[in-house]
Amino acid sequence: MRYYLLTIFFLCASIINSQNSGDYPLEIPIILSGTFGELRPNHFHAGIDIKTKGTEGFKVYSIGDGYVSRIQITHGGYGKALYIKHDNGQSSVYAHLKKFSPKIEKIVKEIQYSKESYTFRTYPPQDEIRISEKELIGFSGNTGRSFGPHLHYELRDEFDRPINPMAFKNYTVSDTISPVVLGLYYKLIPKNSVSGSNSSFNKLKLTKISDNLFISDTLKISGSVGFGVNSFDRMNNTWNKMGLSNIKTNIDGDEIFEMDLNSFSYDEWRHINTFIDYPSYKNKKIKIQKLYIEEFNPLNMYERSLGNGVVEVNKSNEIYLYSVKLFDFNKNQSEILVPIKWKKQNDLSTRKLNFNNMFTVNKDSIYNFKFPSALVSIEKNSFYTDKKIQIFEENNLLHVDRDSIPLLKGITIKMDVSRYNDSIRNRTYIGRIGENKKSSFVSSRKEENYIVAKVNNLGDFMIKIDSIKPNISVIDISDNQWISNRKKLTIKISDNESGINDYRGTINDKWILLEYNPMKGILSYDFNDNVNNDDVKNILEIEIEDNVGNVKNLTKTFYRKIK
């Protein structure tokens, strides 16, 4: 009996290991917290996020033979990231790492200490750092803009375009759950145009027939109708909201729209704002995915041979049945049925906006708006389409419409600071004023008597003054304390106004590598770097600078035994 139990145990262990060996970069059960093509702020998700049981330090392996093509460490974004170019032409990316493998970590530390910088980007020559399939390359972590321990893993084709890694694995992640439907929406689109509409989406009432089938009340309407859906996917063993993989629509059985979210180019990242209804997302935090293609939408994810997906409701055919099919990667499906009946509508296309300070901006033209204390410059093709936008200056606030119109590229704003004396002028910056009236740092770049910023979102802006130095404190260490058994120094830093711009640390006048976690406001130094092996006495000096040049210094003396 014991023999059979041992046999079953080793067989199960072998199956678990073989599922991941050379397939996924982790040797733990693969559960996702994010899928490929998932809708993120201003971009599509370019990889998959693999859960690491809420902890850091799991071994990360290369998924194939190749060489290290790029090593990058940033405070935000991917944090510690490794890029491998594989012999088959594809590339893989491993991000938010805690640290790299000893072989790579040695190279990384040499670069950081030579540059005296925690952050850097390097592109090793081809085949200089060879990597074998299943070779240890790092350890999972939580660095960069990460809200919890996980591994962000990408696969890219030979042209460096992101592709869904799940399409190239021997087994799929457990998923038997159909996409979740939160709502279906519609709007009338101006006649003879698919350039968009200023009108808002209207929500249809849905009745749930089964777990994956919904039917709406009959929509009574006429003219050109564009639909949108608010939906996400779920997988087994996790409550995270995932992205859809494929969307199809048809009218009376004829397919009129298809979108495949399993590949895209980085040039298309920000064009997610043409796929979702930007005003609904910004104003109501609702991600309505448009089921039609506007003429300015450049995404290559659509089957454009089917047309633009707009439903034409005319009197010659009074009854229609519109269908929306939503798929996840494992082909689980949800369907929404919409009966449509023709009904004459009032023409709203001539309705005019009645606002002061409205300007017509043609996307192919250049504009320079001058106000008493501010300038706004708009380049060609800053907007996707021609727009009417509201711009004015009032009570030292520059209002550049609302952040409900997506920008194709940034616009330049300049705010006059000549009214301040030199000591105050050097501590000014442009702040974006949020709905809660709190400001966030945008820029402090000076040009003569102006502060200048290139902004990627419309909104309210104001000159702010920051005359307060940042805060620094060394955690759990007092002056002249012995800390021979400590593995790390931990320093807490913060700035309540313009934010942290730069930092520097030394021990006995020798530069030390301080790893910065901006999400927690923590700097840490690893004593294994052995910057000081000669003296029992250690004088730590830290200098922090905020975004307008306020500097705070801290000096702390501590003692360690010499090994």
Side-chain angles (χ1 to χ4, degrees):
M1 182 66 178
R2 183 183 178 191
Y3 170 81
Y4 287 112
L5 289 174
L6 285 172
T7 301
I8 292 170
F9 172 81
F10 285 117
L11 179 61
C12 291
S14 173
I15 291 172
I16 291 172
N17 286 331
S18 66
Q19 282 181 330
N20 297 301
S21 177
D23 232 8
Y24 287 90
L26 291 166
E27 288 187 330
I28 57 176
I30 302 301
I31 300 174
L32 302 187
S33 60
T35 52
F36 185 87
E38 186 177 310
L39 309 181
R40 299 290 175 89
N42 290 322
H43 69 279
F44 293 98
H45 193 221
I48 58 175
D49 290 340
I50 304 175
K51 285 177 173 282
T52 55
K53 303 181 179 181
T55 61
E56 303 177 44
F58 286 100
K59 293 179 178 179
V60 179
Y61 300 93
S62 171
I63 55 100
D65 296 334
Y67 66 91
V68 175
S69 59
R70 178 173 164 187
I71 308 171
Q72 180 172 301
I73 298 180
T74 56
H75 290 142
Y78 284 180
K80 294 184 179 182
L82 190 71
Y83 298 68
I84 297 176
K85 183 71 172 179
H86 296 288
D87 295 340
N88 66 358
Q90 293 180 342
S91 298
S92 57
V93 183
Y94 313 81
H96 306 304
L97 299 174
K98 180 179 182 180
K99 60 181 180 179
F100 303 97
S101 66
K103 160 177 154 179
I104 300 171
E105 189 76 14
K106 182 176 183 295
I107 297 169
V108 166
K109 286 291 180 74
E110 288 174 354
I111 293 172
Q112 289 174 316
Y113 273 94
S114 66
K115 293 180 177 292
E116 293 193 355
S117 175
Y118 168 68
T119 62
F120 74 92
R121 179 187 299 172
T122 186
Y123 299 86
Q126 183 173 341
D127 291 333
E128 181 177 276
I129 309 175
R130 284 293 302 178
I131 298 292
S132 300
E133 182 179 338
K134 304 178 188 176
E135 180 178 340
L136 175 69
I137 55 174
F139 299 85
S140 66
N142 191 30
T143 57
R145 188 168 176 78
S146 172
F147 295 93
H150 73 283
L151 176 69
H152 173 87
Y153 164 55
E154 290 181 23
L155 195 63
R156 303 180 181 181
D157 66 15
E158 61 271 26
F159 302 107
D160 206 38
R161 295 175 302 201
I163 49 180
N164 195 336
M166 295 173 67
F168 296 85
K169 303 306 170 192
N170 295 331
Y171 83 105
T172 56
V173 177
S174 180
D175 180 11
T176 59
I177 304 171
S178 298
V180 176
V181 176
L182 296 179
L184 188 72
Y185 300 78
Y186 73 95
K187 65 162 46 173
L188 278 171
I189 294 176
K191 193 174 181 180
N192 301 321
S193 172
V194 287
S195 61
S197 168
N198 290 323
S199 63
S200 300
F201 273 103
N202 302 291
K203 190 173 185 179
L204 283 163
K205 183 180 178 181
L206 297 180
T207 300
K208 187 174 182 178
I209 306 302
S210 65
D211 286 342
N212 63 349
L213 179 61
F214 303 80
I215 188 166
S216 80
D217 287 353
T218 299
L219 174 60
K220 297 177 181 179
I221 201 167
S222 63
S224 301
V225 185
F227 288 89
V229 66
N230 183 11
S231 174
F232 64 87
D233 187 41
R234 285 205 190 277
M235 288 186 170
N236 300 49
N237 307 312
T238 175
W239 284 101
N240 293 85
K241 295 179 179 180
M242 313 288 183
L244 302 175
S245 182
N246 188 270
I247 305 173
K248 295 181 180 182
T249 74
N250 69 68
I251 190 78
D252 292 336
D254 294 327
E255 193 170 334
I256 60 171
F257 175 91
E258 181 177 359
M259 186 175 192
D260 186 345
L261 292 102
N262 288 293
S263 67
F264 58 88
S265 71
Y266 282 106
D267 293 338
E268 298 179 283
W269 255 29
R270 193 173 176 86
H271 298 316
I272 187 176
N273 292 328
T274 64
F275 171 51
I276 65 169
D277 184 57
Y278 195 75
S280 297
Y281 172 59
K282 285 295 181 176
N283 299 331
K284 302 177 183 178
K285 306 304 179 188
I286 300 173
K287 294 179 181 177
I288 299 176
Q289 301 162 65
K290 297 176 188 174
L291 305 179
Y292 60 97
I293 311 167
E294 292 157 307
E295 62 184 12
F296 56 82
N297 184 331
L299 291 172
N300 290 313
M301 299 170 162
Y302 303 105
E303 181 53 69
R304 292 182 180 265
S305 64
L306 296 173
N308 60 30
V310 173
V311 177
E312 300 293 343
V313 182
N314 55 64
K315 195 171 183 179
S316 62
N317 186 4
E318 294 187 3
I319 302 295
Y320 301 79
L321 183 63
Y322 179 71
S323 168
V324 180
K325 294 181 179 179
L326 311 169
F327 301 88
D328 61 23
F329 183 77
N330 284 346
K331 305 304 179 185
N332 297 303
Q333 172 188 325
S334 289
E335 184 174 10
I336 309 168
L337 299 176
V338 184
I340 303 174
K341 185 175 182 179
W342 181 89
K343 181 182 179 181
K344 183 175 175 59
Q345 299 289 303
N346 293 323
D347 184 9
L348 302 178
S349 62
T350 59
R351 185 177 59 180
K352 295 181 179 180
L353 296 173
N354 185 24
F355 292 121
N356 295 323
N357 305 305
M358 296 295 295
F359 298 92
T360 298
V361 175
N362 298 317
K363 67 182 183 69
D364 296 326
S365 300
I366 297 172
Y367 296 87
N368 291 289
F369 299 99
K370 185 174 177 60
F371 302 95
S373 301
L375 301 170
V376 178
S377 298
I378 300 175
E379 301 176 28
K380 287 183 179 180
N381 299 314
S382 292
F383 292 89
Y384 283 97
T385 62
D386 298 346
K387 289 290 181 184
K388 286 186 181 293
I389 61 174
Q390 186 180 49
I391 310 177
F392 62 83
E393 182 186 24
E394 186 176 66
N395 298 326
N396 297 321
L397 182 140
L398 177 64
H399 174 82
V400 189
D401 216 282
R402 298 178 61 195
D403 187 16
S404 57
I405 303 173
L407 288 173
L408 183 55
K409 58 183 177 183
I411 65 174
T412 301
I413 61 174
K414 296 183 179 182
M415 304 192 74
D416 191 349
V417 291
S418 61
R419 64 183 181 274
Y420 300 106
N421 63 43
D422 288 344
S423 60
I424 295 178
R425 187 183 307 176
N426 291 332
R427 295 293 177 260
T428 58
Y429 66 95
I430 295 178
R432 179 189 297 278
I433 310 302
E435 292 181 2
N436 55 8
K437 304 304 179 183
K438 291 185 178 179
S439 70
S440 57
F441 176 83
V442 177
S443 174
S444 63
R445 182 169 67 88
K446 308 293 193 302
E447 265 185 27
E448 297 179 343
N449 291 326
Y450 289 93
I451 305 179
V452 183
K454 191 130 185 178
V455 297
N456 293 315
N457 299 82
L458 304 182
D460 292 335
F461 305 91
M462 179 179 282
I463 294 174
K464 304 289 290 184
I465 299 171
D466 179 6
S467 58
I468 303 172
K469 295 180 179 181
N471 301 308
I472 319 174
S473 61
V474 182
I475 297 176
D476 293 337
I477 294 179
S478 56
D479 260 333
N480 300 309
Q481 183 178 346
W482 281 86
I483 56 168
S484 299
N485 296 324
R486 294 283 183 92
K487 294 181 179 180
K488 286 189 175 184
L489 278 177
T490 306
I491 299 106
K492 179 74 175 176
I493 64 173
S494 63
D495 188 87
N496 295 326
E497 289 288 336
S498 59
I500 302 295
N501 176 55
D502 199 11
Y503 60 89
R504 179 180 175 82
T506 61
I507 291 180
N508 296 345
D509 296 325
K510 295 179 180 178
W511 185 84
I512 59 173
L513 176 62
L514 291 170
E515 183 166 328
Y516 182 35
N517 183 334
M519 306 289 283
K520 296 180 178 179
I522 294 292
L523 294 172
S524 58
Y525 166 69
D526 188 343
F527 281 115
N528 287 325
D529 286 359
N530 295 321
V531 168
N532 176 32
N533 274 332
D534 302 322
D535 305 303
V536 170
K537 183 178 180 180
N538 296 265
I539 300 175
L540 170 70
E541 295 181 279
I542 305 289
E543 181 177 283
I544 309 295
E545 182 181 359
D546 67 19
N547 277 302
V548 298
N550 295 306
V551 175
K552 182 71 172 287
N553 293 285
L554 177 144
T555 300
K556 184 83 69 173
T557 301
F558 63 90
Y559 294 83
R560 284 176 65 85
K561 292 179 182 178
I562 298 175
K563 294 182 181 180

